[in-house]
Amino acid sequence: MTRTAIVTGGSRGIGREIVTRLAADGFAVVAGYAGNEELATEAVGEVRESGGRAIAVRADVADERAVAAMFDAAEAEFGGVDVVAHAAGKMVQSTVADLDLADLDEVYRTNVRGTFAVAQQAARRLRDGGALITFSSSVVALAFPAYSPYTATKRAVEAMTMVLARELRGRDITVNTIAPGPTATDLFFEGKTQETIDRLAAQPPLERLGTPADIAAATAFLAGPDGRWINGQLLRANGGII
């Protein structure tokens, strides 16, 4: 039986690399995307060209009906769901004093409500022996100025994930969170000076930025047979920053 993975945020950045890696590992993959159909179709096309199986499904992760429909599509196309890698997210940077609470609502909707909506369907519909992987961020522990709205939502993701791991007792389903450090994606580079990029790249003892492939490798470990004894954990994939 072919195992199936749903990857949210699958059209670009870390999510797209996870789509590619899990497909290479033999998964049939559902690439969930919010709005960029062209990139999602491109990601799926690359998987198919390499001999893999994949479909793209549009879903607002904070809309529980859209998330349920994405799971429906996975089950209809591939017979079930074994792994969910919830990589979709949104970032807002602002000091607490200057924060527009409308921006807070927006990032909360995607990062917190969205994670709950995806995790709820995963808890109900993952096959026994499956895995749910959510995404936090290493900035939670670094306490960078202007990251409080983003950090607050990611701390919520960590808390929910740890509780869910215990709620699924008896199902042989692992539930873990990956907290990437600075990773070389378009979203990371956007709005940053070269000086800032160089400073962040120098922070880890390994003295470089992470790559989407680094994070996809960690995801593949938790999704695969070698990660079955890892459960209810926070994996900081950040080159040793903290």
Side-chain angles (χ1 to χ4, degrees):
M1 179 183 70
T2 300
R3 301 186 76 209
T4 301
I6 292 175
V7 182
T8 67
S11 64
R12 61 178 184 165
I14 290 171
R16 179 163 178 169
E17 192 68 29
I18 293 170
V19 168
T20 300
R21 174 59 190 266
L22 293 184
D25 286 353
F27 284 88
V29 182
V30 175
Y33 68 98
N36 199 320
E37 182 177 5
E38 182 178 353
L39 287 179
T41 301
E42 185 179 280
V44 166
E46 289 177 357
V47 169
R48 292 174 176 171
E49 287 173 7
S50 298
R53 301 172 67 194
I55 60 172
V57 177
R58 184 171 185 168
D60 172 1
V61 295
D63 180 342
E64 64 271 28
R65 291 165 297 184
V67 172
M70 180 170 58
F71 277 75
D72 289 343
E75 291 172 349
E77 185 73 20
F78 301 123
V81 181
D82 302 283
V83 169
V84 175
H86 177 47
K90 185 180 291 290
M91 179 181 287
V92 171
Q93 289 182 252
S94 173
T95 63
V96 172
D98 296 327
L99 178 61
D100 184 334
L101 293 183
D103 289 339
L104 178 64
D105 290 342
E106 184 178 345
V107 72
Y108 183 96
R109 182 180 184 278
T110 297
N111 293 358
V112 180
R113 180 185 170 90
T115 299
F116 268 93
V118 172
Q120 184 176 71
Q121 289 299 317
R124 293 172 178 174
R125 298 167 74 165
L126 275 171
R127 290 191 280 217
D128 290 358
L132 168 63
I133 301 140
T134 64
F135 281 80
S136 179
S137 171
S138 287
V139 300
V140 170
L142 293 169
F144 288 153
Y147 277 82
S148 61
Y150 181 69
T151 295
T153 64
K154 291 303 185 179
R155 181 70 83 181
V157 168
E158 292 179 10
M160 181 275 295
T161 304
M162 300 307 110
V163 171
L164 183 57
R166 287 145 183 85
E167 290 179 348
L168 295 184
R169 175 184 290 272
R171 294 272 304 278
D172 191 29
I173 292 172
T174 62
V175 185
N176 295 286
T177 297
I178 296 175
T183 304
T185 64
D186 290 342
L187 182 62
F188 169 79
F189 289 121
E190 185 177 333
K192 290 184 174 66
T193 65
Q194 189 61 48
E195 180 183 3
T196 299
I197 293 168
D198 292 343
R199 175 173 52 80
L200 292 171
Q203 282 189 322
L206 298 179
E207 296 186 321
R208 67 171 177 85
L209 295 174
T211 67
D214 291 325
I215 311 307
T219 306
F221 167 67
L222 293 174
D226 292 339
R228 294 305 305 163
W229 193 232
I230 312 300
N231 189 35
Q233 302 299 315
L234 171 64
L235 174 60
R236 289 195 175 107
N238 60 26
I241 295 175
I242 49 175

